[in-house]
Amino acid sequence: MADSNLYDKIIELAKRRGFFWPSYEIYGGLSGFYDIGPFGLNLKRKIIEAWRQMFIKNHQGLVVEVETPLVGPSIVYEASGHVENFTDPIIRCKECGRIYRADHLVEEKLGINAEGLSILELESIIKSKGLRCPVCNGELEDVKSFNLLFKTQIGPYEGNDGFIRPELAQGIFVAFKRIFESLRGKLPLGIAQVGKVGRNEISPRQGMIRLRDFTIMEMEFFFDSEKCSCNFADKHYGEKINILPYELKSKDMGFVTTTLGEAIKKGYIINKCMAYWMFIGKLFLQGIGVPEDNMYFEEKGEKERAHYSKQTFDHMVKTSRWGWVEVAGYSYRSDYDLSKHETYSRASLKVFEPFEKPQVVKKKRVIVDKAYIGKVFRSKAKYILERIENLDVEYVISELKNKNALLVDGMKIPKEAIKIVEKEEKVSGRKFIPHVVEPSFGVDRLLYIALEYAYKEKNGRVVLSFPRAFSPLDAVVLPLIEDDEKLAEKAKHLYSYLISEGFDIMYDDTGSIGKRYARADEIGIPAAFTIDYQTLEDDTVTIRDRDTWEQVRVKMSDVPKILKKFIYNSTDIKQLGIE
RNA sequence: GCGGCGGUAGUCUAGCCUGGAUUAGGACGCUGGCCUGCCACGCCAGAGGUCCCGGGUUCAAAUCCCGGCCGCCGCACCA
C-alpha cells in the first residue's frame, strides 16, 4: 500500500473508464468539483445502499430516513452557529498576497486578546497600530471575513439570504419535532439523511478527497441523556476497535487496539450510543473492502472540534497517497443544536416523558385581583399582570411581607390585591431536550477508497476486485466468437433474461475473448458468462470469476439464481458448477 | 493564497533546455476489414490534436517571457 503511484493509476483509470473526473473540464476545470460517471455512480449508489442497510434497515423501528432542502434561510444557520463559527476573519498583504487570520495576527504581534472581536474592531486595531505583513513588511488590505458557507439569495428580494447546507443535520434538527411526533414520540430515535452539501473551501486539493460540493450520509441519533438507552451496544462489547484517544495522541503513540467495552470503561468514548455507531461504522467500511488494520478512530482535541461538539472521533482509513484520511466523523452534539433552534425559533423542541405515576407537588401561586388592577391601572393593567406572572413566588411573598405592597416598575400594588395560594399540582412527566450523537460519512471519499482497496494487478492487467455486491455491474455476457450469429443470438437472449431479472449487465462482443475478460476485470465486473458452441448443444454456459479467473459450466436457466448466490453469498465459484 | 514542479489525441507520453524541414512522433485504446473455439492473439486500413487559456517577444512560438486556470508536492488553511 506504500505505492504512491497507485493514486495516479486510479485517477487515470477513473477518467478513462468513466468512474469520475474533474468537472467543467472543457472550461479548464474548477477546483473542488467532480463529475461522477456511469460506473462510478453505480458504485456510489451501492455504497449508499450498503450504508442504508447497516444504519437504517438493520435498525428498523429505531432509525428512519428523511429528505430536507439543500438551501436554508439564514436564520437557520445563524441559530446553528455556522454563520458565526464558520467564518474566519482574514487579511491579505497587498505586496506578497499572503493571507493571514486577522485575529491570530493581532494576538501574535500585538499581544491583544482578539477573541470574539468584530471585523471592524480588528480593522481599527490593525490600522491604529500600523500592523504590516510579518513576512514581507508590505501594507495590509482591509480585514475581510471568509465564510465557508455558500451564500445565495432566495427569491427576487435582496437581503433575503439563504445558504447551501454545509451539513445535513440542520434540516433534521429543524424538522425534529414533526418527525418525532409523527413517529409517536419514542426515544431513542435515529433520523438519517443522504444528500449533497456545499462548503466553500479556501483551497481544496486532493481530488475526490476534498470537494466543495459533495454527498454525505448522516444520522442524528436522538436519545435521553439521563438514561443513555443504548443497551443494544452491550452485546458488542467484545468487538475489536482501533482507537486513538486524545490523551494518547499527545504521547505521540499510534492507535491502540482494544474492545468496545474497554473503550467505554476507560472513558475513551464518553457516550455508549456513540460507541455503538462507531462499531456499525467499522462493519460498514469492512464491507466496502477496508481491512480492519487499515482503519482507526481518532479523537479530536477540544480546539480541533466543531463548535457544537462535546466529543468527536474521526474515522480514519489508510490511503496510498495521503496516508490516513478521514472518511467519517462521529460527534456527540449534546443538546446544542436543538437548544439553539429552540431559542431562535421560539418553538418548544422539548420531548415529554410521562412518569410511571403522576407526581403531586405542592406549589404556591400568586393570585392577582384582576378587577382591581384593571380599574386602577387601566391601559397598563395588561403589562403589570404579565410582569407579575413572571415573578418568582418567593420574591412576591417577601416583598409583601416587607413592604406590604408589590412594586412593578415603580407602580405600587397593595397587599390586598394579591393573594398567595398553595395548590396541589399534578406533574405527569418531565420535559427535556434530547441529546444527539451523529455519525457522518463522506460518500465521495468512500468511492475513491473503494477503488483504491479494489485495485489489483494480475499478470500485468488491472483488476478491480470490489466486494461482489459493490461492483458497478453484476455480470457481463459474452459470445465466445465475435461474428457468429448463433452464438450472438443465444448471448443476447441471456443478456435480456438477466436484465429482466433485475441485474445490471453489460453485453460485449468486440475483440478477442481474452480482451473482453480483461476489459470486464478492469471495470470490476465480478462474473462473466460466456456462450460457446457447447451452449448451442446443451444450453449451458460458463461462469468466470473475476478474481480467480476460474470457470465452471452452469445451466442457462439457472443463471439468475446462481448469479444471485455468487454476488450476495460470496460463494466460491467451484460450488456453483453442474458437477 | 504563497513557493516549487507540471499541463501535448480517449489514456500515457516524445519533442521544449538550444524557436524554423514535425504534415507535432510513439504506445495503448477506439472504428472498419481479415483472422480468431477461453484470458489485453496477429495482420491491414482509418478516425481522433484549441500542443490548458489569454497576452507579449520574434520574420517565425508546443518551444522563450508575463498573467490566468487546473493538477501534484511543501507551507498556510481545513466548523
Side-chain angles (χ1 to χ4, degrees):
Chain A
M1 201 46 73
D3 183 4
S4 72
N5 292 326
L6 180 57
Y7 175 79
D8 295 320
K9 287 178 185 171
I10 285 169
I11 293 302
E12 187 269 320
L13 177 63
K15 264 202 246 180
R16 192 162 41 79
R17 286 292 180 202
F19 282 89
F20 52 78
W21 57 86
S23 300
Y24 310 111
E25 271 183 310
I26 65 165
Y27 287 104
L30 183 60
S31 252
F33 298 89
Y34 265 71
D35 290 348
I36 295 177
F39 295 134
L41 189 55
N42 277 3
L43 179 58
K44 180 168 172 175
R45 219 180 266 130
K46 289 185 180 189
I47 290 170
I48 293 172
E49 251 345 284
W51 177 82
R52 280 203 174 96
Q53 186 67 48
M54 297 290 291
F55 282 84
I56 305 173
K57 289 186 188 165
N58 289 351
H59 296 88
Q60 289 181 43
L62 185 68
V63 182
V64 296
E65 184 176 357
V66 298
E67 187 173 280
T68 67
L70 182 70
V71 174
S74 48
I75 180 96
V76 168
Y77 292 99
E78 281 160 27
S80 71
H82 284 90
V83 169
E84 190 192 338
N85 295 298
F86 221 36
T87 308
D88 290 335
I90 54 172
I91 191 161
R92 185 172 187 274
C93 170
K94 280 182 188 170
E95 306 300 324
C96 70
R98 284 186 174 81
I99 289 185
Y100 305 93
R101 279 280 295 267
D103 50 348
H104 290 182
L105 199 65
V106 166
E107 281 182 13
E108 277 170 35
K109 297 290 157 192
L110 304 172
I112 299 168
N113 183 7
E115 211 179 299
L117 291 185
S118 71
I119 300 288
L120 288 177
E121 285 167 329
L122 285 167
E123 178 80 48
S124 75
I125 291 172
I126 288 167
K127 283 265 157 67
S128 68
K129 302 279 179 183
L131 211 56
R132 301 181 76 84
C133 176
V135 173
C136 76
N137 203 34
E139 202 180 327
L140 295 169
E141 290 178 359
D142 293 347
V143 179
K144 285 177 191 149
S145 77
F146 184 80
N147 194 304
L148 272 66
L149 291 169
F150 275 111
K151 198 173 191 173
T152 186
Q153 182 183 302
I154 301 172
Y157 299 103
E158 276 180 38
N160 195 6
D161 291 334
F163 294 105
I164 294 177
R165 59 187 176 189
E167 57 172 4
L168 305 176
Q170 298 310 324
I172 292 172
F173 292 134
V174 162
F176 166 72
K177 208 182 171 193
R178 165 129 272 144
I179 301 164
F180 176 73
E181 283 171 1
S182 73
L183 296 169
R184 291 185 289 141
K186 284 179 194 134
L187 284 185
L189 171 65
I191 305 176
Q193 183 166 195
V194 179
K196 280 244 179 175
V197 299
R199 299 179 189 185
N200 200 6
E201 300 285 351
I202 293 169
S203 114
R205 291 265 184 86
Q206 304 174 306
M208 289 289 277
I209 302 294
R210 237 174 114 208
L211 299 172
R212 287 184 165 125
D213 169 320
F214 54 103
T215 305
I216 57 181
M217 308 185 286
E218 267 181 22
M219 181 189 27
E220 307 306 319
F221 191 73
F222 298 86
F223 60 95
D224 181 350
S225 64
E226 281 184 24
K227 34 182 161 177
C228 177
S229 39
C230 295
N231 298 328
F232 39 83
D234 298 0
K235 65 179 168 197
H236 303 292
Y237 274 13
E239 292 283 345
K240 229 171 87 179
I241 187 171
N242 293 331
I243 190 166
L244 175 56
Y246 192 69
E247 54 179 272
L248 297 186
K249 204 156 129 192
S250 50
K251 290 179 191 159
D252 213 19
M253 290 167 63
F255 61 78
V256 294
T257 302
T258 178
T259 62
L260 206 59
E262 279 295 301
I264 295 169
K265 211 169 108 190
K266 286 188 176 160
Y268 292 160
I269 308 174
I270 62 175
N271 185 284
K272 266 167 82 179
C273 295
M274 189 130 116
Y276 176 70
W277 295 113
M278 284 162 73
F279 161 64
I280 297 296
K282 179 192 92 164
L283 295 184
F284 169 55
L285 281 202
Q286 282 180 307
I288 289 178
V290 182
E292 181 145 24
D293 292 344
N294 286 1
M295 63 166 109
Y296 74 96
F297 297 94
E298 180 175 321
E299 187 184 4
K300 299 273 100 182
E302 204 181 331
K303 284 182 182 162
E304 304 163 323
R305 288 200 296 265
H307 59 276
Y308 48 70
S309 171
K310 274 210 160 83
Q311 185 179 39
T312 294
F313 283 95
D314 282 349
H315 196 159
M316 310 300 286
V317 170
K318 203 180 204 175
T319 63
S320 64
R321 168 73 56 107
W322 293 299
W324 293 100
V325 163
E326 174 197 350
V327 299
Y330 302 75
S331 288
Y332 180 24
R333 301 180 74 134
S334 71
D335 62 353
Y336 176 87
D337 299 274
L338 286 180
S339 297
K340 292 278 289 208
H341 284 302
E342 188 165 70
T343 307
Y344 276 69
S345 67
R346 279 179 265 152
S348 166
L349 299 179
K350 290 189 179 64
V351 157
F352 179 76
E353 186 206 31
F355 294 138
E356 283 185 18
K357 281 181 192 165
Q359 295 171 4
V360 178
V361 182
K362 280 188 181 174
K363 225 177 167 181
K364 288 172 186 164
R365 286 192 61 188
V366 179
I367 305 291
V368 186
D369 185 342
K370 287 179 184 167
Y372 174 85
I373 303 285
K375 275 178 202 159
V376 175
F377 295 101
R378 299 277 164 183
S379 65
K380 284 181 182 161
K382 196 181 165 194
Y383 172 75
I384 290 169
L385 288 172
E386 263 175 33
R387 287 295 306 268
I388 295 175
E389 191 133 339
N390 289 323
L391 291 173
D392 180 57
V393 183
E394 295 304 323
Y395 168 78
V396 176
I397 292 168
S398 76
E399 286 288 288
L400 292 178
K401 202 174 169 187
N402 298 336
K403 297 174 186 165
N404 268 328
L406 182 66
L407 284 172
V408 175
D409 286 1
M411 290 172 284
K412 201 170 176 182
I413 295 115
K415 199 177 179 179
E416 291 72 37
I418 299 175
K419 257 192 272 181
I420 303 294
V421 180
E422 195 164 32
K423 258 179 123 179
E424 285 193 344
E425 276 187 15
K426 229 170 57 176
V427 182
S428 52
R430 89 188 155 97
K431 282 182 173 177
F432 64 95
I433 294 183
H435 279 222
V436 170
V437 153
E438 172 203 78
S440 171
F441 287 82
V443 186
D444 309 272
R445 289 183 175 187
L446 291 177
L447 178 63
Y448 170 75
I449 278 166
L451 254 102
E452 188 168 308
Y453 278 90
Y455 190 95
K456 305 264 156 38
E457 283 175 16
K458 189 171 176 182
N459 298 2
R461 298 171 13 178
V462 173
V463 180
L464 290 183
S465 285
F466 298 112
R468 288 171 193 161
F470 284 89
S471 301
L473 297 172
D474 298 316
V476 60
V477 172
L478 315 159
L480 182 62
I481 304 300
E482 226 176 315
D483 295 317
D484 186 310
E485 277 187 30
K486 281 182 180 163
L487 291 181
E489 196 187 318
K490 276 278 177 196
K492 280 183 178 156
H493 174 257
L494 179 61
Y495 174 59
S496 329
Y497 181 32
L498 286 170
I499 287 176
S500 71
E501 292 287 321
F503 293 102
D504 296 324
I505 307 295
M506 184 163 97
Y507 183 83
D508 191 356
D509 62 0
T510 316
S512 75
I513 189 70
K515 186 183 278 189
R516 284 178 276 156
Y517 285 141
R519 197 142 57 200
D521 287 346
E522 205 181 59
I523 299 166
I525 304 172
F529 293 102
T530 305
I531 282 73
D532 56 19
Y533 288 99
Q534 196 181 325
T535 312
L536 301 178
E537 286 161 24
D538 63 4
D539 255 357
T540 62
V541 296
T542 61
I543 173 173
R544 168 189 179 271
D545 179 354
R546 171 197 66 198
D547 301 316
T548 62
W549 295 0
E550 278 169 357
Q551 274 177 307
V552 294
R553 289 199 87 80
V554 299
K555 276 193 206 154
M556 197 126 127
S557 54
D558 288 343
V559 163
K561 201 174 71 194
I562 283 167
L563 183 54
K564 203 170 172 191
K565 222 173 171 184
F566 179 70
I567 292 173
Y568 296 106
N569 302 350
S570 318
T571 312
D572 185 331
I573 193 169
K574 286 181 204 148
Q575 296 166 4
L576 297 171
I578 289 171
E579 278 97 16

